[in-house]
């Protein structure tokens, strides 16, 4: 069966490579506490922008949130005279809390994620015993993207691609000649994302990554995380399809699905859970909002014991 969404994305990338006005301006904001890169992507012609994978600062020991990372984005947008159209999440992150509601209050824009967030909400709603008041229909978001859906940032073209495996809801977003791939893949010297969270699937991740690597070799890839592979001194978060196909230590050309699944399964069995997984997922399935305050006006994050 023809992959019409991928073909459309490839055509869009080629158009953007041929015409500079169809390429986005991209600024990355690295949060070392969570090894996360957030992006502001804007159309130089109209100054319309999207924010991808924002970070709300969270101190686990005290349970306190703060907005330093998000305020860096606000400052950049205001200094550059940008207008926010979209606040996009590539998936419900397990390693940081989203600052999307804070940014939406400050800057506007529609909050968007992949439609399979509904499945993630159902799974984790049960784990956290969220109760009947917690809607499991994605209604916490303004837009739920399906595979192949298109959107606009000013005059720039965008396409959403469903790339499950790390979680069921992972999406990649193609804007002009750039691909924002969330947690599917990392720098070539570090490899790929884990698949041992509820709903994760190593074989599915392999197929999702290989699908992305069918895009033109010159496609710019922007990553959601970097952890500095052994022997590398600097953080990095931009690569290309060609570099990934030639050099990725887990999934370069010639790697079979069986080899990848065996490697990923063995590697995942040695990994500790992300230190912020319980607060992060609990908040992010709510679109970045804290659980409703209780009678005393305080929000509480649950810690399920022996459940994850």
């Amino acid at each position: 069966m023809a992959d019409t969404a991928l073909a459309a994305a490839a055509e869009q990338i080629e158009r953007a490579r041929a015409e500079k006005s169809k390429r986005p301006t991209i600024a990355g904001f690295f949060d070392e506490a969570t090894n996360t890169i957030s992006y502001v992507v804007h159309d130089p012609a109209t100054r319309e922008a999207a924010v991808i994978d924002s970070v709300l600062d969270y101190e686990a020991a005290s349970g306190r949130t703060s907005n330093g990372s998000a305020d860096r984005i606000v400052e950049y947008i205001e200094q550059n005279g940008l207008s926010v159209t979209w606040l996009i999440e590539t998936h419900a992150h397990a390693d940081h809390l989203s600052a999307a509601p804070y940014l939406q209050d400050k800057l506007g824009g529609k909050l968007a994620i992949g439609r399979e967030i509904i499945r993630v909400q159902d799974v984790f709603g049960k784990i956290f015993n969220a109760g009947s008041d917690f809607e499991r229909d994605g209604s916490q978001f303004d837009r739920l993207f399906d595979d192949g859906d298109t959107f606009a940032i000013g005059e720039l073209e965008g396409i959403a691609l469903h790339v499950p495996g790390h979680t069921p809801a992972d999406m990649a977003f193609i804007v002009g000649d750039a691909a924002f791939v969330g947690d599917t893949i990392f720098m070539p010297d570090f490899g790929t994302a884990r698949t041992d969270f509820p709903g994760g699937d190593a074989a599915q991740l392999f197929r999702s990554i290989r699908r992305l690597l069918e895009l033109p070799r010159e496609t710019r890839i922007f990553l959601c995380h970097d952890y500095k592979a052994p022997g590398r001194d600097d953080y990095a978060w931009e690569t290309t399809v060609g570099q990934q196909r030639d050099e990725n230590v887990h999934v370069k050309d010639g790697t079979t699905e069986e080899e990848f699944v065996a490697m990923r399964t063995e590697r995942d069995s040695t990994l500790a859970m992300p230190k912020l997984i319980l607060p992060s997922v609990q908040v992010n399935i709510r679109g970045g909002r804290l659980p409703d305050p209780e009678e005393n006006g305080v929000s509480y994050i649950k810690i399920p014991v022996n459940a994850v």
Side-chain angles (χ1 to χ4, degrees):
M1 182 181 295
D3 190 335
T4 56
L6 190 70
E11 291 175 6
Q12 173 187 294
I13 290 164
E14 295 292 8
R15 286 195 299 271
R17 284 182 45 75
E19 188 175 341
K20 187 176 181 180
S21 65
K22 296 185 180 296
R23 301 176 206 165
T25 298
I26 300 166
F29 297 81
F30 182 67
D31 176 58
E32 190 164 1
T34 62
N35 294 90
T36 302
I37 305 95
S38 306
Y39 296 98
V40 176
V41 185
H42 82 263
D43 173 15
T46 66
R47 316 299 290 176
E48 290 192 21
V51 178
I52 300 176
D53 290 335
S54 61
V55 174
L56 178 71
D57 301 319
Y58 178 74
E59 172 53 55
S62 66
R64 289 191 174 274
T65 64
S66 57
N67 301 308
S69 295
D71 284 338
R72 290 169 58 205
I73 291 175
V74 173
E75 181 181 16
Y76 175 85
I77 286 170
E78 291 178 344
Q79 287 181 345
N80 287 276
L82 306 181
S83 174
V84 173
T85 304
W86 294 102
L87 300 159
I88 293 174
E89 301 290 334
T90 55
H91 63 295
H93 305 274
D95 41 38
H96 71 271
L97 282 66
S98 169
Y102 175 79
L103 292 173
Q104 191 172 43
D105 183 62
K106 292 281 187 179
L107 303 168
K110 293 182 178 180
L111 176 56
I113 199 167
R115 184 172 299 279
E116 288 299 306
I117 188 62
I118 295 170
R119 180 177 166 190
V120 177
Q121 288 176 328
D122 184 57
V123 170
F124 280 97
K126 294 173 183 174
I127 290 174
F128 292 117
N129 197 29
S132 59
D133 289 341
F134 172 57
E135 299 292 344
R136 295 160 169 83
D137 58 3
S139 58
Q140 299 85 350
F141 301 85
D142 301 310
R143 171 79 181 269
L144 300 180
F145 284 113
D146 291 305
D147 187 64
D149 278 355
T150 60
F151 60 101
I153 304 172
E155 297 174 1
L156 295 178
E157 301 172 319
I159 296 179
L161 298 177
H162 186 212
V163 287
H166 173 62
T167 79
D170 280 65
M171 301 293 289
F173 294 93
I174 316 301
V175 181
D177 66 332
F180 299 87
V181 298
D183 286 16
T184 56
I185 200 166
F186 300 136
M187 289 300 290
D189 57 359
F190 199 86
T192 58
R194 66 194 298 167
T195 58
D196 57 332
F197 297 151
D201 185 296
Q204 197 171 50
L205 180 63
F206 179 85
R207 293 190 290 269
S208 291
I209 292 172
R210 293 309 308 181
R211 184 188 188 206
L212 289 173
L213 297 186
E214 289 300 313
L215 293 169
R217 287 180 61 90
E218 300 80 9
T219 304
R220 296 185 289 165
I221 292 179
F222 292 87
L223 313 175
C224 188
H225 296 288
D226 187 55
Y227 303 96
K228 285 198 299 191
R232 175 156 54 86
D233 295 328
D234 299 317
Y235 291 109
W237 48 82
E238 181 179 351
T239 177
T240 66
V241 165
Q243 289 172 338
Q244 294 286 0
R245 292 186 63 165
D246 294 342
E247 303 172 18
N248 189 282
V249 295
H250 291 168
V251 73
K252 65 184 176 183
D253 285 358
T255 306
T256 67
E257 181 175 317
E258 292 74 18
E259 291 169 338
F260 177 82
V261 170
M263 176 281 301
R264 192 69 264 172
T265 302
E266 180 179 359
R267 183 177 175 87
D268 288 350
S269 70
T270 70
L271 300 177
M273 285 288 104
K275 62 182 180 180
L276 294 184
I277 184 171
L278 296 177
S280 294
V281 175
Q282 200 165 162
V283 169
N284 293 338
I285 60 174
R286 292 176 164 87
R289 299 171 185 86
L290 297 173
D292 290 337
E294 298 190 7
E295 310 86 64
N296 61 357
V298 177
S299 293
Y300 290 87
I301 290 175
K302 294 181 178 180
I303 304 297
V305 178
N306 299 324
V308 178

